[in-house]
Amino acid sequence: QVQLVESGGGLVQAGGSLRLSCAASGTMFRIYAMGWYHQTPGKQRELVAGITSGGSTNYADSVKGRFTISRDNAKSTLYLQMNNLKPEDTGVYYCKQDGPFGGRGYWGQGTQVTVSS
């Protein structure tokens, strides 16, 4: 019932920008913390940016100053503004919503980002 659908990925040159979106449905989006995760083949899925229901944010050191996470509760949409992209940013980006009562969360299907040098 809960659906998270990422979009906005694509192929960009190093130094370019993308804005990822995660459209949520079937959930009271506004009350949950959300996050963006990055995964490359053979690697762990890693949190790159998180945002609480109150709007507090945190970032992986590798993206600080380049990425900005935000949310539009009226639209039940999560965003990741990605600036000054680097080849190492390449991978699949997943949207995640925390689960109720500290339970298992929900994941989107991911969107591919490829950054060429």
Side-chain angles (χ1 to χ4, degrees), residues 9-112:
L11 174 63
V12 297
Q13 293 182 342
S17 297
L18 288 172
R19 190 173 80 151
L20 307 184
S21 298
C22 170
S25 61
T27 179
M28 288 194 292
F29 176 84
R30 67 187 183 278
I31 72 172
Y32 293 107
M34 305 290 295
W36 285 102
Y37 290 74
H38 173 238
Q39 187 169 28
T40 56
K43 300 289 186 179
Q44 292 282 309
R45 190 174 295 183
E46 298 181 336
L47 178 70
V48 299
I51 186 167
T52 69
S53 61
S56 297
T57 60
N58 67 94
Y59 299 92
D61 288 342
S62 60
V63 307
K64 285 182 179 177
R66 299 190 298 119
F67 292 7
T68 302
I69 188 171
S70 62
R71 64 194 299 160
D72 186 338
N73 288 338
K75 296 181 178 179
S76 295
T77 302
L78 179 73
Y79 301 99
L80 186 67
Q81 179 66 47
M82 309 167 70
N83 296 328
N84 191 24
L85 283 160
K86 302 176 179 180
E88 50 263 45
D89 297 321
T90 292
V92 179
Y93 285 78
Y94 296 89
C95 172
K96 176 187 178 281
Q97 181 201 279
D98 281 3
F101 306 107
R104 192 173 182 176
Y106 299 92
W107 294 89
Q109 80 292 328
T111 186
Q112 175 71 40

